[in-house]
Amino acid sequence: MTTPVTFRDLAIGDAGWLIQRHAELYAENDGFDASFEALVAEILAAYIRDHDPAQERAWIAHRGDQRLGSIFCVREGTPGIAKLRLFLLEPAARGMGLGHQLLTLCTDFARDAGYRTLRLWTHESHRAACALYARNGFRLTASIPVRNFSQDLVEQSWEIDL
């Protein structure tokens, strides 16, 4: 029998894993440089130092001791608006419906915490993630060509009314 996938809050060691896996996967798949790793580290450091458990939450998907993915809901800075951050699925965990489960956990938490809108930032090249957002009611609000992380990209903003 296969061990079920479960979801837990951020624990000791998870931040290091998230920084490493984001850096490795984005370098391998998108050619991102180390400035992306620094961004992920900054996001995690701010979350660990300052998060408000009533308004912010992290989920780590795992099977046994194997981490499979993550998603975070954090304050955006504008009252009533939350931000989805650090959505990651290990390649071996893709196609199992785990992305949908994580997205639902995040969206439900944001709604229950009293947010009116959930926003996220991604890149056009992440087609599977963008399709997941669209299927779950998010709408594309901006699409801007940029040069970030040593790559020419099209950054996208998505949001959903809760």
Side-chain angles (χ1 to χ4, degrees), residues 103 126-138 156 158:
L103 188 59
H126 298 163
R127 297 193 196 308
C130 292
L132 177 66
Y133 302 138
R135 279 194 312 274
N136 283 275
F138 283 79
Q156 293 185 336
W158 292 74

Side-chain angles (χ1 to χ4, degrees), residues 3-79:
T3 305
V5 173
T6 57
F7 304 92
R8 62 169 169 74
D9 206 345
L10 193 69
I12 299 297
D14 289 336
W17 170 76
L18 282 165
I19 294 165
Q20 178 182 357
R21 293 307 290 151
H22 272 85
E24 291 170 348
L25 291 170
Y26 279 78
E28 179 183 321
N29 298 323
D30 299 296
F32 284 15
D33 64 16
S35 66
F36 184 70
E37 186 171 8
L39 173 64
V40 173
E42 290 163 3
I43 292 167
L44 280 157
Y47 179 85
I48 291 167
R49 267 195 305 270
D50 301 324
H51 88 278
D52 173 0
Q55 295 290 301
E56 300 177 293
R57 177 74 204 275
W59 293 265
I60 303 297
H62 63 97
R63 179 180 284 133
D65 62 357
Q66 181 185 18
R67 295 175 184 107
L68 302 174
S70 67
I71 198 166
F72 285 59
C73 180
V74 300
R75 290 171 291 192
E76 190 260 357
T78 305

Side-chain angles (χ1 to χ4, degrees), residues 2 4 10 28-30 33 48 52 58 61 72-73 95 97 102-104 108-109 112-113 115 118-119 139 141 144 156:
T2 303
L10 193 69
E28 179 183 321
N29 298 323
D30 299 296
D33 64 16
I48 291 167
D52 173 0
F72 285 59
C73 180
L102 285 165
L103 188 59
T104 299
D108 288 350
F109 174 85
D112 292 346
Y115 291 109
L118 179 60
R119 291 183 177 156
R139 65 189 174 283
T141 59
I144 303 165
Q156 293 185 336

